[in-house]
Amino acid sequence: MEPTIEVFLNSVKKICPKMTDYELALYATKLTIESFSKKEYFLQFGHVQKNIGFIANGLVRSYFIDKDGDEITVGFYAEGDYATHYSAFIEQQPSKYYIQCLEPTVMVCLSHENMQWVYDHIPNLERYGRLIAGEILKRQQERIESFIFQTAEERYIDFVKHHSGLFNRISISHLCSFLGIERQTLTRIRQKIAHQ
């Protein structure tokens, strides 16, 4: 079996230990591997997402373009994460977001059609799907609440705490956009923290 798919299936087994080797092997027949170069798009605004992508290697960012024409970053997804505009993928509706590779990226992909097939034929995978959907929704909720209940400084500290491995992999402008702050504000926050 392709090593990338094997790594992915091991991550599935960790979340759903009851999955049998037969079920995993059957699942593997529905998966494809796709490679993307840096700056290439996994998903474009207005397009229907055909595949959900598990990032085996690399880094992507999700963003939209606001009414002023500015790119607003809503998420960074690295190894072990899913690249998806999940609600639009499930409904097969046009996406409101772009998902762009910030590095050369390899994904294990499952088409919407094959997802329905595996849910029908591999009952244990439905549980996995529910758990992943729950995780995606939890992250979205945390993101919304960070803008309601946290200051810019708290959002930055939170990002440092939970995503320290991404610092050398993303640009300052993408980070500022994600945090919803200007570059000079980020500089002030960093200086303040450095002097504490």
Side-chain angles (χ1 to χ4, degrees), residues 98-184:
Y98 295 87
I99 298 178
Q100 185 184 34
C101 299
L102 297 179
E103 299 173 353
T105 300
V106 177
M107 294 189 204
V108 177
C109 293
L110 179 68
S111 71
H112 186 268
E113 188 184 336
N114 282 337
M115 180 185 273
Q116 304 315 310
W117 188 93
V118 297
Y119 284 169
D120 289 342
H121 294 83
I122 312 171
N124 275 327
L125 263 173
E126 232 179 337
R127 173 173 163 69
Y128 174 74
R130 278 199 314 274
L131 292 169
I132 294 301
E135 186 57 37
I136 290 168
L137 291 171
K138 189 180 102 187
R139 279 194 194 183
Q140 288 174 345
Q141 192 63 33
E142 284 170 355
R143 171 118 178 106
I144 291 164
E145 290 182 1
S146 73
F147 279 91
I148 298 170
F149 300 115
Q150 291 182 313
T151 63
E153 186 176 327
E154 287 167 336
R155 283 198 299 279
Y156 173 74
I157 290 167
D158 210 39
F159 187 86
V160 172
K161 191 169 142 190
H162 294 105
H163 305 286
S164 58
L166 292 182
F167 266 103
N168 297 330
R169 299 171 70 182
I170 60 175
S171 71
I172 293 292
S173 60
H174 289 162
L175 177 59
C176 288
S177 167
F178 177 75
L179 296 171
I181 57 177
E182 299 293 327
R183 190 181 281 249
Q184 56 268 35

Side-chain angles (χ1 to χ4, degrees), residues 70-90:
D70 295 322
E71 292 182 5
I72 308 297
T73 300
V74 294
F76 299 104
Y77 308 99
E79 294 82 5
D81 283 331
Y82 278 92
T84 181
H85 176 195
Y86 193 70
S87 56
F89 174 69
I90 292 302

Side-chain angles (χ1 to χ4, degrees), residues 3-19:
T4 305
I5 287 183
E6 210 165 330
V7 167
F8 169 66
L9 293 177
N10 286 337
S11 79
V12 172
K13 186 106 176 169
K14 268 193 197 117
I15 293 170
C16 283
K18 288 183 180 167
M19 287 206 47

